[in-house]
C-alpha cells in the first residue's frame, strides 16, 4: 500500500469542497425561474432555479420563508439573494436562499394579486366597514405630491365645485422606495391633527412599478385604521391598486375624487332654499298653533273673569224683579175680578145705606188691598235689595274697590295665595279696582 498518496474520504472531500464554496462567494443575487417546488411539513422550501442553459438546487429555511410577501409557485420568475454552498450528505451543489422576491412587472402583479387575496380574506375590502363620505365637509385633506399634476387637478376641480371649501395639503412622496412610508406618515399626521373630515389619497397615472407604493400592505392597514374617511384617486381609470380596494370610496382619477368629495355650489344653493322653505313652513305652523292656544285661553279667561260673573248675577236680579212685578199685577187683577160680582150685587139691591156700607166696605177693602199690595211690594223689594246687597258683598269687584288686589303669576295667570309660591325675580300681575299692575318680586315675607 502506497502511504505517500493523500487519499480523501467522500465525507472529507464534501466538507472541504463546501468550505471552499462557502469562503469563495459572497451573497449573490440570482435571477431564474422556479421549478420542482416542494414544501415539506418542516415549513422549509426546496426548489430549483433554472434558465435556458442551466439549473441549480435551492433551499429556503422556514424562518426566511415566513418573511415572504408572496407565495412562490412553479414557473415564477424571481430574484434570489443566496449563499453558495454544498449539501454534504448528498454531495449536491446548492444555493441557500436568504431573500426571495418576484422579478419584473409580472412579479409585481403577482405580489399585488396575492396581497389582494390575503387582505380580502381578512375582510379589509368589505363594503360593510366602509364609512359614508360627509355630504358637506368642513375641510378636505389632500395626501399627494405638492408638485405633481394631480394636486393641480384636485385644486381646480374643488374650486370649480365649491370655491368656499377649505383645502389642506399633506405633502407625501407618491413614487419610489420611500413613497409608501411617506404616504403612511402623511395619513397618520392627518388623523392626529383631525383638521379635516375627509381625505383624498391621490397621484397621477403611471406604470405598475410607478404605482407600487399604493400596493403596500402597511399603507392599506393604515388607511383602514384611519378615523377619517379616505377617498382614493390613483392613476387613470384602468389603474387599480390595493389602496383603491381598501379606501372608503374609489375614484377613477384624482379629478373624479374631487368631484366625489366636494358638493356642487348649485346643489348647496338648492338645499339651502329647500331648508329655508321648510323652516318658514314649520315656523308658520308653530305660530298658528300658538295663536289657536292663545285664542282658547282668552275665551276660557273670559268665562272665569269676575265681571262676567257679575253680569250674570245682575241679569238674574233683573229677571227676579220682572217676575215680582208680574206677580203683583196678576194678584191685583184677580182681586178686581173677585170685586166685580160684589159690585154687581150691590148695584142690584141698591139701598143707600147698604150702598154706603158697601161703599165704605169697598173703600176699606180697597185700602186694605192697597196696604197689602204695598206691604207685599215692600217685602219683595226688601228681599230683592237684601239679595242685591249680598251679591255685591260677594262680588270680587267690591273687594277690589275696598283696596284689595288679586295677584296672579305672569303670564300664565295662576292665582298666588302664598308667598312660598313665588321666588325673587318672578313676574307677577296684580288686578286692582281700576286696572292691572305687572311687577317683579324682589323679596317675600311670609307671616
Amino acid at each position: 500500500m502506497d502511504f505517500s498518496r493523500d487519499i480523501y474520504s467522500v465525507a472529507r472531500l464534501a466538507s472541504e469542497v463546501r468550505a471552499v464554496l462557502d469562503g469563495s462567494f459572497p451573497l449573490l443575487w440570482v435571477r431564474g425561474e422556479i421549478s420542482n417546488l416542494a414544501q415539506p411539513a418542516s415549513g422549509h422550501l426546496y426548489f430549483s432555479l433554472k434558465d435556458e442553459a442551466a439549473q441549480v438546487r435551492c433551499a429556503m429555511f422556514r424562518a426566511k420563508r415566513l418573511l415572504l410577501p408572496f407565495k412562490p409557485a412553479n414557473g415564477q420568475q424571481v430574484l434570489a439573494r443566496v449563499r453558495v454552498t454544498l449539501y454534504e450528505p448528498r454531495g449536491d451543489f446548492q444555493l441557500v436562499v436568504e431573500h426571495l422576491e418576484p422579478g419584473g412587472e409580472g412579479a409585481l402583479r403577482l405580489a399585488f394579486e396575492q396581497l389582494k387575496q390575503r387582505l380580502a380574506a381578512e375582510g379589509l375590502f368589505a363594503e360593510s366597514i366602509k364609512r359614508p363620505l360627509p355630504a358637506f365637509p368642513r375641510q378636505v385633506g389632500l395626501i399627494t405630491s405638492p408638485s405633481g399634476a394631480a394636486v393641480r387637478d384636485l385644486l381646480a376641480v374643488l374650486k370649480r365645485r365649491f370655491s368656499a371649501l377649505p383645502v389642506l395639503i399633506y405633502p407625501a412622496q407618491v413614487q419610489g422606495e420611500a413613497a409608501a412610508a411617506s404616504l403612511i406618515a402623511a395619513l397618520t399626521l392627518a388623523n392626529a391633527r383631525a383638521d379635516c373630515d375627509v381625505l383624498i389619497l391621490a397621484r397621477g397615472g403611471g406604470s405598475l412599478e410607478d404605482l407600487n407604493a399604493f400596493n403596500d400592505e402597511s399603507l392599506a392597514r393604515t388607511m383602514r385604521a384611519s378615523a377619517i374617511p379616505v377617498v382614493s384617486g390613483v392613476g387613470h381609470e384602468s389603474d387599480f391598486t390595493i389602496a383603491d380596494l381598501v379606501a372608503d370610496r374609489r375614484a377613477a382619477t384624482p379629478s373624479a375624487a374631487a368631484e366625489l368629495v366636494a358638493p356642487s355650489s348649485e346643489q348647496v344653493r338648492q338645499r339651502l332654499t329647500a331648508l329655508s322653505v321648510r323652516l318658514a313652513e314649520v315656523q308658520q305652523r308653530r305660530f298658528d298653533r300658538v295663536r289657536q292656544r292663545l285664542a282658547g285661553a282668552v275665551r276660557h279667561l273670559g268665562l272665569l273673569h269676575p265681571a262676567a260673573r257679575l253680569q250674570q248675577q245682575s241679569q238674574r236680579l233683573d229677571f227676579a224683579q220682572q217676575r215680582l212685578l208680574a206677580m203683583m199685577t196678576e194678584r191685583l187683577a184677580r182681586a178686581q175680578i173677585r170685586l166685580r160680582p160684589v159690585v154687581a150685587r150691590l148695584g142690584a139691591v141698591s139701598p143707600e145705606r147698604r150702598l154706603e156700607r158697601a161703599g165704605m166696605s169697598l173703600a176699606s177693602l180697597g185700602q186694605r188691598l192697597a196696604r197689602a199690595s204695598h206691604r207685599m211690594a215692600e217685602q219683595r223689594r226688601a228681599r230683592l235689595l237684601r239679595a242685591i246687597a249680598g251679591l255685591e258683598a260677594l262680588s270680587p269687584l267690591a273687594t277690589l274697590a275696598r283696596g284689595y288686589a288679586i295677584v296672579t303669576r305672569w303670564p300664565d295667570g295662576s292665582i298666588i295665595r302664598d308667598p312660598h309660591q313665588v321666588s325673587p325675580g318672578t313676574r307677577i300681575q296684580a288686578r286692582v279696582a281700576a286696572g292691572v299692575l305687572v311687577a317683579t318680586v324682589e323679596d317675600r315675607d311670609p307671616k
Side-chain angles (χ1 to χ4, degrees):
M1 189 170 185
D2 187 359
F3 292 99
S4 62
R5 291 183 292 179
D6 186 10
I7 299 175
Y8 279 70
S9 67
V10 174
R12 178 187 171 191
L13 177 61
S15 176
E16 291 192 9
V17 169
R18 178 185 176 187
V20 171
L21 290 174
D22 287 350
S24 300
F25 293 92
L27 283 173
L28 302 175
W29 283 101
V30 178
R31 184 192 303 275
E33 178 184 324
I34 294 177
S35 65
N36 303 318
L37 177 66
Q39 182 176 337
S42 63
H44 308 319
L45 287 181
Y46 299 100
F47 56 92
S48 296
L49 278 181
K50 68 177 184 177
D51 58 17
E52 296 83 356
Q55 66 177 359
V56 63
R57 285 184 172 276
C58 300
M60 188 174 195
F61 297 111
R62 184 174 181 273
K64 301 295 183 181
R65 181 192 64 79
L66 293 176
L67 301 177
L68 286 179
F70 71 104
K71 184 178 181 181
N74 287 321
Q76 289 182 0
Q77 289 289 331
V78 294
L79 284 175
R81 183 81 161 166
V82 301
R83 288 188 293 106
V84 180
T85 187
L86 184 80
Y87 181 55
E88 294 182 36
R90 294 177 57 180
D92 288 342
F93 165 67
Q94 74 173 10
L95 304 178
V96 176
V97 180
E98 300 290 336
H99 174 73
L100 194 66
E101 63 184 46
E105 185 167 307
L108 291 177
R109 193 167 299 282
L110 175 63
F112 167 79
E113 290 297 333
Q114 292 182 350
L115 179 60
K116 182 175 76 171
Q117 292 174 9
R118 183 154 52 85
L119 296 183
E122 293 183 27
L124 261 68
F125 307 152
E127 289 296 327
S128 60
I129 64 174
K130 295 190 176 185
R131 294 155 297 192
L133 304 184
F136 299 98
R138 295 176 292 104
Q139 183 163 256
V140 175
L142 307 182
I143 300 177
T144 187
S145 170
S147 59
V151 72
R152 293 192 295 271
D153 293 342
L154 286 165
L155 292 175
V157 173
L158 291 172
K159 183 177 181 180
R160 172 176 56 81
R161 292 276 293 176
F162 196 73
S163 59
L165 179 62
V167 179
L168 186 60
I169 299 176
Y170 296 93
Q173 296 182 38
V174 294
Q175 185 172 335
E177 292 184 1
S182 178
L183 291 167
I184 291 171
L187 189 57
T188 303
L189 176 62
N191 274 271
R193 292 181 54 169
D195 292 325
C196 306
D197 46 10
V198 65
L199 300 172
I200 298 178
L201 186 72
R203 70 149 282 160
S207 65
L208 182 59
E209 187 175 357
D210 294 336
L211 302 178
N212 196 46
F214 295 88
N215 292 324
D216 184 80
E217 181 176 354
S218 296
L219 176 62
R221 296 189 184 279
T222 303
M223 291 174 65
R224 189 67 272 154
S226 171
I228 305 171
V230 180
V231 176
S232 68
V234 180
H236 301 302
E237 187 169 357
S238 59
D239 297 323
F240 231 100
T241 66
I242 295 296
D244 292 322
L245 296 170
V246 78
D248 294 293
R249 289 289 296 274
R250 185 252 175 182
T253 63
S255 298
E259 294 276 353
L260 276 177
V261 166
S264 166
S265 299
E266 182 60 29
Q267 291 176 350
V268 172
R269 281 194 294 271
Q270 292 176 359
R271 178 65 173 163
L272 288 176
T273 300
L275 289 175
S276 298
V277 171
R278 287 183 56 192
L279 179 61
E281 292 174 349
V282 169
Q283 288 178 333
Q284 184 60 43
R285 287 196 295 270
R286 182 172 294 180
F287 175 75
D288 291 342
R289 288 196 298 269
V290 171
R291 184 170 56 187
Q292 291 173 0
R293 290 177 58 190
L294 179 60
V298 169
R299 289 194 298 271
H300 186 66
L301 181 62
L303 294 175
L304 299 177
H305 197 279
R309 298 182 63 184
L310 289 175
Q311 289 175 355
Q312 294 177 356
Q313 296 294 338
S314 177
Q315 189 173 5
R316 290 179 62 187
L317 287 175
D318 291 339
F319 290 157
Q321 186 175 12
Q322 291 174 2
R323 287 197 300 274
L324 179 59
L325 293 175
M327 290 173 59
M328 292 173 62
T329 302
E330 183 180 358
R331 286 198 174 191
L332 288 173
R334 286 200 299 269
Q336 290 175 355
I337 292 172
R338 287 198 302 272
L339 286 175
R340 285 173 188 165
V342 176
V343 172
R345 286 196 300 272
L346 289 174
V349 293
S350 171
E352 186 175 3
R353 296 188 58 154
R354 295 183 65 183
L355 285 175
E356 290 177 359
R357 287 195 299 271
M360 293 173 62
S361 178
L362 180 60
S364 176
L365 288 173
Q367 291 174 359
R368 289 177 60 191
L369 179 60
R371 286 194 298 273
S373 298
H374 179 71
R375 191 165 49 250
M376 184 178 293
E378 289 297 327
Q379 290 174 353
R380 296 289 186 178
R381 183 178 300 277
R383 288 174 61 190
L384 178 61
L385 291 176
R386 284 195 299 274
I388 292 173
L391 288 175
E392 288 181 349
L394 294 175
S395 171
L397 294 180
T399 304
L400 296 181
R402 291 196 298 274
Y404 290 93
I406 300 175
V407 181
T408 60
R409 188 184 299 273
W410 189 87
D412 61 8
S414 58
I415 294 177
I416 299 171
R417 297 181 175 86
D418 191 317
H420 291 290
Q421 290 182 246
V422 298
S423 57
T426 304
R427 299 276 288 170
I428 61 173
Q429 176 178 279
R431 177 175 291 278
V432 297
V436 176
L437 302 175
V438 177
T440 303
V441 175
E442 294 186 355
D443 197 1
R444 60 184 185 186
D445 184 15
K447 298 298 185 179

